[in-house]
Amino acid sequence: MLGYKIYFNGSKFVADNTATEVQTVPCDSTVSWMANKIYADNAVEKHNANDIKDVKKCKECGENFWQTDDERQWFTDRNMKAPCRCYSCRKKKH
Ligand SMILES: [Zn+2]
């Protein structure tokens, strides 16, 4: 299946101009695919306006990952520090 890839380039979200093969990514990945270019551009705009603060850099592998509001709340409720490693790296530890 082809889609337009959206990803965080280190400073902001961008979308590819050509469709590429959709790949499976970890649940907290900042990479995603949209079925058409208009959806991709809308998502990029929304991410850059609202969600860019939720992107963190994994201190283990250097990948960018999302910190969702739900997840942040979960850690706050338990008086724990938000994770500084991505899902894949955290999973590897266990
Ligand atoms: Zn990582």
Side-chain angles (χ1 to χ4, degrees), residues 28 57-65 84-90 92:
D28 64 349
K57 201 183 179 81
C58 175
K59 88 177 197 189
E60 191 115 354
C61 67
E63 279 296 322
N64 297 304
F65 67 100
C84 45
R85 290 180 180 80
C86 70
Y87 178 76
S88 305
C89 288
R90 275 183 278 155
K92 258 182 261 165

Side-chain angles (χ1 to χ4, degrees), residues 20 45 72 74-76:
T20 52
E45 211 171 292
R72 200 197 319 274
W74 193 92
F75 283 94
T76 308

Side-chain angles (χ1 to χ4, degrees), residues 15-35:
D16 278 349
N17 287 318
T18 50
T20 52
E21 187 66 29
V22 173
Q23 287 159 36
T24 308
V25 291
C27 61
D28 64 349
S29 178
T30 54
V31 176
S32 59
W33 276 264
M34 286 285 169

